[in-house]
Amino acid sequence: KEAFEKANPDVVVLILNPQGRPQVILEAAEKLPDILAPNSFGLYKDRTALISLNKFIERDKAELDPDDFYKTLLDSGKVNDDQFMIPYFYNVSLLYYNVDMFKEAGVPLPDGKWDWAAYVKASAAITKHYHDKGETEVFGTSIVKGWWVEWLAHAHQAGGQLIGDDWQNSPFDSEQAAEGLQFYHDLVHKYKVAQKPSKMGGKPFLNQKTAMKFAGHTNDWIGLRKDAGFEWDITLLPTHKSGSKGGERVSVGFGITKASKHKDLAWEFIKFFVNKENSARFCESGWIPVRKSVFKETFSKREANGKFLQSPQHKTIVLEALNQCREQSRMPEFASLAYHQAQPFIDQLMRQDIDSRKCAELIGEKVSNTMKLYNRLNPEYDYEAKKLKVKK
C-alpha cells in the first residue's frame, strides 16, 4: 500500500472489509470499492459485482506474465473463460506435526505417504506415550470441530460429495460419504486419539496438547513462527486407500468492481501488488507464493546448511498438496449448506446420537431439499452431455 502510494502520489489506498451483508448492500447501492478480494469458492457469487479482466491481461501480458502463475491458481480465478480474479495467495490443507513430541514418544516422523491407517497408528502411539506419563489431556492428533474443513475432507477422500455437480441435489447419501464420516467419528470415539469436541481447549496444537493438527491453514505459519515454543513441520494429508482428493484448496485474489470509476488505476494496483518483486516481498513476510519464479528464487532458497531459516522445513510440499487437494463447490450457497444445514447432523454424530450412515442420509436429504428451494443451475455443467439415452 505504502509503496503504491509513493509511486502514485495522487492516490490514497483505503482498506475496507465490506464482506457479508454490508457487501450485498453496497453492491445494490453501486457503492462498492474499486477492488474486491474474493476467494475462489466464493467467486461465482462475487462475479456479478466484478468485471472480466481478460482485456487488461491480454493488453499487459508481457508485464503481468500470466505464465509465471501456477495454472491451477490462475484458473481458480475464472468463471467459464472470464478471468475475474488475479490470485495473490492460496491455502492448501496440510497435516501439521510437532517434531519434538514425535521424538519424545519415539514415533517416526510422517513421510508424506501416510494413509488413514498409518495416521491412526502414529496418533495412538503418541497418545499412549503421554497418557502413560499421566498427561491424559494430551493426544496424538486433534479434529477440526464446527467447520467443514475436516469432516468434508474425509468424505471427499472416501469418494463422497456434498454438492452435486449440477447444483440440483446432494449425493451425500452414499456409502463413501458415510465411510468418511465414520473415520472422523472414530478418531475420537473408537481410536481415542483425539480429544472429544466438548473438552477441546483453544489452540491445542500451539499449546502442545496435540502432536498433530489436521487441515491446518498456511496463514497459520506466521503465528506458529512467532509463538510456537517447539519445532514443527508439515506434510501431506493422510489419504484414503482410494487416493481420492479431499483437503480444501482455496485461493484469494483481486478483482475490479463494475462500480469502480477508476478501473485503469485499479488494474495498475493489482499488477503492482502481484508483480514479481512484490510477490517476493509478500513471500518473505511468511506467505506462500503464487508465482513459479518466486517459489524457485525466494520461497525455496535454503541456508548454507541446506535448511530453511524458518519452519516448516518441508514447506515446498505445498506444490504436491495443490494436486492432492480440491476446490470446494462454487455454488453460492455452499458455505451455508455445509455450515447451517449439514453441521448440526455432524454435531449429533460426534455426540453419538446418530451413526455415520444415518448422518450421511440426513445431510443428503436436508441439503437436497434446501437446494431445491434455490433451484440453481450450474452454468459450467454440461447438462446435454449428462442426459441419459433411453432405448425404447
Side-chain angles (χ1 to χ4, degrees), residues 90-306:
Y90 72 96
N91 174 57
V92 281
S93 293
L94 297 161
L95 184 69
Y96 289 62
Y97 60 94
N98 183 318
V99 176
D100 296 342
M101 291 179 71
F102 266 80
K103 289 182 177 179
E104 181 183 330
V107 177
L109 298 176
D111 60 5
K113 299 178 182 179
W114 277 5
D115 58 9
W116 287 359
Y119 174 49
V120 170
K121 182 179 179 181
S123 299
I126 295 171
T127 301
K128 184 178 185 305
H129 171 80
Y130 283 97
H131 286 201
D132 286 349
K133 288 177 56 180
E135 298 181 39
T136 57
E137 299 301 311
V138 178
F139 288 81
T141 191
S142 61
I143 63 166
V144 179
K145 63 175 183 177
W147 186 25
W148 65 78
V149 73
E150 181 167 2
W151 62 259
L152 185 53
H154 294 319
H156 282 160
Q157 287 178 322
Q161 189 171 347
L162 180 65
I163 307 295
D165 292 336
D166 59 359
W167 295 358
Q168 292 291 290
N169 69 91
S170 169
F172 206 71
D173 177 15
S174 68
E175 293 294 338
Q176 293 88 346
E179 181 185 358
L181 295 183
Q182 186 66 49
F183 181 69
Y184 180 68
H185 167 277
D186 287 350
L187 289 172
V188 173
H189 297 291
K190 179 181 178 181
Y191 307 123
K192 302 185 186 303
V193 297
Q195 181 72 284
K196 291 181 179 179
S198 60
K199 294 185 177 181
M200 284 177 63
K203 299 183 178 180
F205 182 72
L206 181 62
N207 292 324
Q208 300 192 71
K209 295 298 184 182
T210 175
M212 287 181 279
K213 177 182 180 181
F214 186 95
H217 201 292
T218 52
N219 66 6
D220 293 342
W221 295 11
I222 297 173
L224 284 169
R225 286 166 174 167
K226 177 177 177 290
D227 299 322
F230 54 90
E231 184 181 355
W232 60 277
D233 214 327
I234 59 170
T235 188
L236 297 174
L237 293 179
T239 59
H240 183 264
K241 59 187 177 183
S242 68
S244 297
K245 296 181 180 181
E248 179 178 276
R249 178 181 71 225
V250 58
S251 59
V252 182
F254 288 128
I256 301 173
T257 63
K258 293 177 180 177
S260 172
K261 297 179 180 178
H262 313 283
K263 292 182 175 64
D264 287 318
L265 182 60
W267 175 244
E268 291 302 315
F269 175 82
I270 293 174
K271 284 193 301 180
F272 182 83
F273 197 97
V274 303
N275 68 25
K276 294 178 183 180
E277 178 184 355
N278 288 316
S279 292
R281 182 183 301 171
F282 201 55
C283 177
E284 289 167 353
S285 298
W287 302 76
I288 57 178
V290 298
R291 284 186 175 272
K292 301 171 188 176
S293 60
V294 177
F295 184 95
K296 180 180 179 180
E297 298 164 13
T298 304
F299 188 74
S300 301
K301 187 177 180 179
R302 299 176 185 269
E303 300 297 301
N305 61 6

Side-chain angles (χ1 to χ4, degrees), residues 319-348:
L319 288 188
E320 291 184 57
L322 266 179
N323 295 320
Q324 190 192 80
C325 296
R326 58 181 282 174
E327 297 280 347
Q328 299 291 17
S329 172
R330 289 194 182 191
M331 184 178 181
E333 294 80 17
F334 157 70
S336 178
L337 289 168
Y339 187 74
H340 296 293
Q341 308 301 324
Q343 186 63 50
F345 298 115
I346 300 296
D347 296 338
Q348 290 184 45

